[in-house]
Amino acid sequence: MSKNTEIKRHRQERMLNFGIVIVSLLAALIIGALLFLIAKGNPFKAYAVMFTKPFTSTFGMTEILVRAAPLMFVGLGIAIAFRSGILNIGAEGQILMGAIAGAAVALAFPDMPKIILLPMVFLASFIGGALWGGIAGWMRSYLNVNEILSTVMLNYIAIQVYMFFIRGPLIDPKEVSYGTGVPQTAVFSKNAWLTRLIPGTRLHTGIFIAIVLAVLVYILLWKTTIGYRMRAVGIEPKAARAAGMNVKAYLLLAMLLSGGFAGMAGAIEITGIHHRAMESISAGYGFSGIVVALFGGLHPLGIIPSSALFGLLIVGSDMMQRAVNVPASIILSIQGLVILSLVSSQNFLTNPRFKEKILKIFDSKSKTRNLKKGGRA
Amino acid sequence: MVEKINHLEMQHITKRFPGVLALDDVSIELKKSEILALLGENGAGKTTLMNVLYGLYHQDEGSIFINDKIIEIESPINAMENHIGMVHQHFMLVPNLTVIENIALGYFQDTRFKLDLNLVRTKIMEIAKKYGMAVDPEAYIWQLSVGEQQRVELVKALTLGANLLILDEPTAALTPQQTDELIELLKEMARQDNSIIFISHKLNEVKSVSNRISVLRNGKLVHEGDTVSYTVSELAEEMAGRQINLPKSPEKLEFGEVMLDMKDIWAYNDQGGWGLQGLNLQLKAGEIMGIAGVSGNGQRELADVVSGVRKVEKGNILIDNWNITNHTASQIIERGMGYIPEDRLHEGSLPGFSVRENLILKDYNSSQISSSIFLKKKVIDKFANNLIETYNIKCPDMNTSCASLSGGNIQKVILAREITRNPKVLIAAYPIRGLDIGAAEYVHNRLIEAREAGMAILLISEELEEILDLSDRIGVIYEGAILKVLPGRGTDYKEIGLLMAGVIDE
Ligand SMILES: Nc1ncnc2c1ncn2[C@@H]1O[C@H](COP(=O)(O)OP(=O)(O)O)[C@@H](O)[C@H]1O
Ligand SMILES: [Mg+2]
């Protein structure tokens, strides 16, 4: 067989990969368009807004990064867990526990210099999330409790614990004295604020922290003996055990790290955006982060672009909602559809049998076309 | 309905995968009531050829003729409509459904909307009766043994109207007795006007079951002819493309110190009963001791306790006079234990890891391979390339994932890793199971080398020939204890066979 056919085949495959993504996106958008029509909105306008408007203003562009930062943290944590063979669905709860631990530290040491206080807040958030994730990890390793169940259940508990703290022990004294009672902590001292990068926007240094950590996670997983063991345990626990690894300990370690990263997403939100802990701080990052991680191929360097893409989806659909006045639930459905299509297209991309079929169709088409050409000549 | 198959021809079939020419101008032919054996080493293209016939792949070149008419087989449904049925190497049954339900899954062509389980049941019983097979239609698949599941696959194919059956390595997971039963069944099916394509790399089976043989090597058809006109060793040569002599370990009179000493070992099996019941065993440096026995008599537990993944309830295990009883696996590895596990895909290797990463599975922590935290990339690259070359591991490069290698090459990766560490004791559990004869020869040569290098080797196997070829002493294991130890030379099959069944002559 000639080298030429092989090169041609490679080119075809690349085109095909691209095509699959486009087609599935189109499918999602067409279904979404139907939803718009039902709600009497203009789909063309809506989509134009969703995919272009974020790029037309500094605000839009920075906002994408603002959303990407917590997603990246969560995504990295999810990737660590999944790579180690443990399915962490509990990032949402771990974010909250991280946020509350971080907030407690920020409130307790308002006069500490920034250079010390911020790392302390992040450390506290990491520990908060890690402990929450660690509970599930420990139950899985030593009591054999399915981690999907335990992490989901721990989410519910986390919400209540979080609410207890911001309603009770950590509530802003002003809310009490004014009698308003909004469940939120006092605003942190400026020493616990992440620096804003561009005036008039919310862009803060958190995105850099996230990118640096992504690189560190890459190094951890692929360049160190600890990462080697974590991945080995994740891929084939039996072989890891036979090779002398302590499988249970590494599962637990993975959950500690995974929870810790989600916890730091909480730190990002309280120190970068709200400057306090308050209700509905996470905006569903704990769940979107799973999709971010999967779409990024469970690889830290894939998670960076993947979280930016999902940041765009969130910001774009916010803007769309304001521009074309349709119910918010439609926007959420569109978001869901796009996520669904992207994720399922990835399934097609990794399915050799499907590819083979499509390429076959193209092959027979190009053959008949060549025949026709030949006939004319 | 399309008429039944009286004559099948696949002509000049060529099939390429990216970077691989899996089939190169292969032609085979099969008539009614014939059993054709498709013989070839792993990776020769047997499965690919059958997947083309079954509509899972489409050939790049060549054509298929049924009853002298050219046909296009686009999908497995298409294949079934043409009366072709296939029993895959890995069964395609849903464990949580019953036999009937599984068969009904494929039966929808006739009853597209209504699921008539009674109709299916009648059909199944008809087929079972016709060929004298025992099948319980109400049993769940997970309740059935491997042999029974295979019978379900056969019934399924026949129920769906096949009269040409493709069996891809059907005996790989069967015991010798189950294999004999299957061969009888297949012959009966052929007598009743079915034709069969039987894929295997086990020569004895092929010899006893088939009428005609086609041999594939590296995607090419290298040989075809009537079974009766060839001897087993001629076939082996055709298959490997060279002469094969499974090596025998040279006679030796002096052995070293006792390296592995197991004293009165008791351990539970996975079901909670006793797996080992007072097992005693001594193994010396430079010696191969074969452990013969019907599987399930404690072999699994024996390997487990020595490698530290199963708890010893009573007794002591010493490696080189050092007590390692109930130490962790990593401590035991430290002490000089090497292990070639039975399950090379899940226990011996990490399929999702690259060859390079698999080669350091036991050494990632050593000071040569890593500083206390970081893996030393350059050192590992060199180490891996070295082993790939020395052990002749066939892979595009060291970053290829282990999962994409053939069984023989995965075993080479494991051998390379374990033997290079130069352990004092090496346990080899079923080291050539599922390997073709060329790869088996390789593995045996390496084991003999390891013996010459002074390792103490425990060879667990169900193939007596392997044990007799290699062992200095043979321990027969029965119900969790060594029943008797025999000399490696001058012992005959029959004696071992009786002991394996638990019979001791006084
Ligand atoms: N889907 C596939 N994609 C790429 N290569 C394949 C695929 N299936 C088989 N091959 C390659 O084709 C060759 C023949 O494989 P196979 O037919 O499975 O061999 P056998 O069944 O004789 O062991 C091997 O080199 C194998 O790696
Ligand atoms: Mg095969």
Side-chain angles (χ1 to χ4, degrees):
Chain A
M1 105 174 209
S2 68
K3 193 136 194 172
N4 264 338
T5 28
E6 222 173 287
I7 293 172
K8 200 176 124 213
R9 182 100 183 187
H10 271 291
R11 202 177 310 137
Q12 278 179 337
E13 253 193 65
R14 221 173 318 134
M15 296 260 298
L16 181 65
N17 290 350
F18 188 65
I20 290 173
V21 174
I22 296 295
V23 168
S24 57
L25 258 181
L26 278 179
L29 295 182
I30 290 170
I31 299 173
L34 292 178
L35 289 177
F36 274 116
L37 291 175
I38 294 170
K40 303 207 169 26
N42 177 346
F44 294 105
K45 191 172 159 207
Y47 287 141
V49 171
M50 179 165 179
F51 290 107
T52 61
K53 186 127 183 261
F55 294 109
T56 58
S57 64
T58 323
F59 174 76
M61 304 241 270
T62 54
E63 218 31 38
I64 294 176
L65 298 179
V66 166
R67 303 296 190 146
L71 285 175
M72 212 182 294
F73 273 100
V74 176
L76 289 171
I78 300 284
I80 293 173
F82 280 31
R83 285 276 176 190
S84 310
I86 184 158
L87 301 175
N88 178 12
I89 315 291
E92 193 72 13
Q94 292 144 17
I95 292 174
L96 294 181
M97 297 318 279
I100 204 67
V105 169
L107 292 169
F109 306 101
D111 301 324
M112 196 81 81
K114 188 167 182 168
I115 188 101
I116 300 178
L117 183 55
L118 267 178
M120 273 174 54
V121 172
F122 270 78
L123 183 63
S125 292
F126 180 89
I127 293 173
L131 289 179
W132 209 247
I135 296 175
W138 181 81
M139 293 206 297
R140 154 79 192 266
S141 277
Y142 297 97
L143 304 178
N144 219 359
V145 175
N146 181 310
E147 75 276 10
I148 298 180
L149 278 180
S150 61
T151 49
V152 168
M153 291 305 157
L154 283 166
N155 279 343
Y156 293 114
I157 302 173
I159 293 173
Q160 299 310 325
V161 173
Y162 182 75
M163 288 309 288
F164 166 77
F165 275 105
I166 60 176
R167 272 207 190 104
L170 289 182
I171 193 168
D172 187 352
K174 281 191 207 124
E175 297 290 341
V176 181
S177 54
Y178 297 166
T180 37
V182 177
Q184 56 186 11
T185 66
V187 174
F188 305 155
S189 87
K190 292 220 162 150
N191 293 339
W193 294 14
L194 284 176
T195 312
R196 292 267 159 107
L197 292 171
I198 304 177
T201 70
R202 304 200 290 173
L203 185 64
H204 53 77
T205 44
I207 187 76
F208 295 122
I209 304 179
I211 290 174
V212 169
L213 281 176
V215 175
L216 288 181
V217 169
Y218 168 73
I219 292 173
L220 169 74
L221 284 178
W222 274 277
K223 305 285 175 196
T224 69
T225 52
I226 297 176
Y228 177 84
R229 275 179 278 204
M230 289 171 69
R231 286 184 299 123
V233 164
I235 280 185
E236 202 54 79
K238 264 171 90 183
R241 201 160 81 112
M245 299 177 192
N246 185 342
V247 174
K248 290 176 177 179
Y250 281 94
L251 283 182
L252 176 57
L253 176 65
M255 265 319 273
L256 286 170
L257 284 176
S258 184
F261 270 81
M264 286 198 290
I268 283 281
E269 291 302 281
I270 57 172
T271 58
I273 307 289
H274 308 294
H275 302 146
R276 58 170 20 145
M278 52 196 276
E279 222 183 327
S280 66
I281 181 185
S282 143
Y285 292 138
F287 300 111
S288 322
I290 298 174
V291 190
V292 166
L294 290 174
F295 194 66
L298 294 178
H299 193 290
L301 306 184
I303 288 172
I304 297 177
S306 151
S307 50
L309 178 67
F310 281 81
L312 167 66
L313 278 183
I314 296 175
V315 176
S317 43
D318 273 358
M319 291 182 163
M320 170 164 80
Q321 187 178 354
R322 264 172 266 133
V324 284
N325 209 13
V326 289
S329 51
I330 299 252
I331 308 293
L332 281 179
S333 319
I334 304 273
Q335 229 182 316
L337 281 168
V338 172
I339 292 177
L340 199 61
S341 77
L342 286 178
V343 174
S344 49
S345 71
Q346 215 190 17
N347 260 332
F348 281 118
L349 293 182
T350 49
N351 181 343
R353 275 206 48 211
F354 173 79
K355 275 195 188 172
E356 167 127 352
K357 268 205 170 136
I358 298 274
L359 286 179
K360 211 162 70 190
I361 295 171
F362 278 121
D363 265 358
S364 55
K365 277 220 180 103
S366 64
K367 255 183 224 152
T368 48
R369 206 166 46 228
N370 287 344
L371 281 182
K372 274 183 199 154
K373 267 191 212 150
R376 233 178 276 139
Chain B
M1 265 310 222
V2 193
E3 66 178 311
K4 295 260 176 181
I5 301 174
N6 290 317
H7 185 199
L8 168 86
E9 278 175 288
M10 297 180 81
Q11 286 192 353
H12 309 294
I13 304 288
T14 295
K15 174 74 194 168
R16 300 180 187 94
F17 292 114
V20 185
L21 182 52
L23 293 172
D24 185 5
D25 192 20
V26 173
S27 304
I28 59 166
E29 185 183 2
L30 177 64
K31 299 202 182 75
K32 192 166 82 177
S33 287
E34 246 178 17
I35 302 183
L36 170 72
L38 205 52
L39 198 61
E41 299 202 322
N42 283 318
K46 306 177 298 286
T47 300
T48 305
L49 183 65
M50 290 304 106
N51 281 345
V52 166
L53 180 57
Y54 196 57
L56 284 167
Y57 295 139
H58 198 266
Q59 68 271 28
D60 296 330
E61 284 156 38
S63 1
I64 302 173
F65 296 85
I66 290 182
N67 302 341
D68 302 319
K69 282 198 293 277
I70 191 163
I71 58 158
E72 287 288 327
I73 301 175
E74 297 284 349
S75 67
I77 294 183
N78 236 215
M80 283 182 234
E81 283 165 359
N82 283 296
H83 306 294
I84 299 171
M86 180 154 174
V87 178
H88 294 267
Q89 208 162 347
H90 309 283
F91 299 154
M92 306 274 178
L93 298 168
V94 186
N96 287 337
L97 296 182
T98 62
V99 172
I100 294 199
E101 287 167 335
N102 263 287
I103 294 178
L105 277 182
Y107 206 70
F108 62 91
Q109 288 111 312
D110 291 357
T111 56
R112 203 168 283 263
F113 296 110
K114 193 165 128 278
L115 192 58
D116 187 350
L117 286 185
N118 281 326
L119 182 77
V120 182
R121 180 181 295 111
T122 323
K123 267 275 198 195
I124 295 175
M125 296 322 285
E126 239 171 60
I127 302 268
K129 187 154 163 255
K130 185 167 170 195
Y131 301 106
M133 286 185 273
V135 182
D136 173 9
E138 312 292 344
Y140 285 93
I141 298 299
W142 59 264
Q143 297 173 318
L144 304 180
S145 70
V146 177
E148 288 169 322
Q149 291 189 23
Q150 187 168 59
R151 233 171 298 149
V152 174
E153 285 277 20
L154 280 172
V155 173
K156 181 167 127 193
L158 292 166
T159 310
L160 299 180
N163 81 325
L164 186 155
L165 293 168
I166 305 165
L167 288 91
D168 195 353
E169 308 218 7
T171 59
L174 301 186
T175 64
Q177 202 208 350
Q178 286 172 324
T179 301
D180 291 343
E181 284 171 20
L182 176 70
I183 287 176
E184 278 318 304
L185 180 62
L186 293 180
K187 284 183 171 166
E188 176 60 32
M189 287 176 174
R191 264 194 294 279
Q192 301 202 34
D193 290 347
N194 296 294
S195 30
I196 292 167
I197 301 180
F198 182 93
I199 301 182
S200 181
H201 55 241
K202 296 193 192 161
L203 299 161
N204 290 322
E205 291 165 20
V206 161
K207 190 89 177 108
S208 71
V209 75
S210 67
N211 309 111
R212 292 187 334 107
I213 298 184
S214 294
V215 183
L216 288 181
R217 191 193 321 144
N218 286 332
K220 289 193 185 63
L221 182 71
V222 289
H223 173 86
E224 61 179 320
D226 290 335
T227 306
V228 284
S229 40
Y230 296 92
T231 64
V232 167
S233 63
E234 280 166 339
L235 289 172
E237 226 175 295
E238 289 291 353
M239 197 161 97
R242 64 197 160 90
Q243 204 161 3
I244 296 276
N245 292 311
L246 279 179
K248 291 193 187 338
S249 60
E251 186 153 10
K252 209 178 189 183
L253 297 171
E254 303 253 316
F255 301 98
E257 302 277 298
V258 172
M259 280 295 146
L260 176 67
D261 195 356
M262 302 180 75
K263 295 179 190 157
D264 190 28
I265 304 295
W266 292 71
Y268 289 116
N269 59 23
D270 289 337
Q271 286 75 41
W274 286 115
L276 296 178
Q277 317 189 51
L279 179 130
N280 287 295
L281 179 160
Q282 279 198 335
L283 181 61
K284 295 194 182 113
E287 180 188 39
I288 296 183
M289 179 171 186
I291 299 292
V294 178
S295 71
N297 271 292
Q299 292 94 329
R300 160 99 255 170
E301 292 79 10
L302 168 58
D304 281 356
V305 292
V306 179
S307 53
V309 296
R310 186 179 297 268
K311 197 169 163 243
V312 177
E313 303 298 331
K314 193 178 152 225
N316 283 307
I317 306 176
L318 283 75
I319 290 184
D320 197 8
N321 291 321
W322 189 278
N323 196 330
I324 54 130
T325 318
N326 287 331
H327 284 204
T328 65
S330 68
Q331 286 168 327
I332 294 176
I333 293 168
E334 271 313 283
R335 277 282 145 215
M337 166 71 61
Y339 185 24
I340 299 166
E342 168 180 6
D343 185 351
R344 69 181 74 100
L345 269 185
H346 300 294
E347 199 167 358
S349 67
L350 298 155
F353 270 30
S354 62
V355 171
R356 172 179 180 276
E357 286 181 308
N358 266 290
L359 285 170
I360 59 165
L361 183 58
K362 288 201 173 159
D363 286 311
Y364 61 88
N365 237 348
S366 80
S367 57
Q368 281 120 46
I369 299 290
S370 64
S371 59
S372 52
I373 299 175
F374 291 102
L375 295 165
K376 295 179 183 161
K377 180 172 185 308
K378 286 207 183 107
V379 178
I380 299 174
D381 286 353
K382 206 169 140 207
F383 176 76
N385 271 329
N386 225 333
L387 288 186
I388 288 173
E389 205 170 303
T390 327
Y391 282 79
N392 196 13
I393 299 167
K394 287 207 191 96
C395 56
D397 63 49
M398 62 182 176
N399 292 314
T400 315
S401 105
C402 225
S404 66
L405 301 189
S406 68
N409 277 301
I410 294 177
Q411 193 69 315
K412 283 183 187 173
V413 171
I414 299 172
L415 276 171
R417 185 181 72 215
E418 299 299 325
I419 293 179
T420 318
R421 307 185 71 253
N422 199 15
K424 290 177 184 153
V425 178
L426 180 66
I427 305 214
Y430 311 96
I432 61 163
R433 182 191 271 177
L435 299 189
D436 56 59
I437 193 158
E441 179 192 27
Y442 183 92
V443 171
H444 281 180
N445 275 323
R446 287 289 174 173
L447 288 178
I448 291 172
E449 276 174 39
R451 166 185 182 256
E452 297 312 312
M455 291 175 213
I457 301 176
L458 196 64
L459 171 70
I460 302 176
S461 173
E462 65 220 332
E463 304 216 14
L464 289 185
E465 211 163 322
E466 175 176 30
I467 289 197
L468 287 167
D469 277 354
L470 297 186
S471 308
D472 298 301
R473 284 184 302 144
I474 301 168
V476 180
I477 193 169
Y478 180 73
E479 295 191 339
I482 300 292
L483 195 59
K484 191 167 181 188
V485 178
L486 304 162
R489 265 152 270 271
T491 302
D492 69 355
Y493 282 82
K494 211 172 142 213
E495 192 177 358
I496 303 179
L498 282 172
L499 284 167
M500 279 166 64
V503 181
I504 308 185
D505 47 345
E506 298 313 312

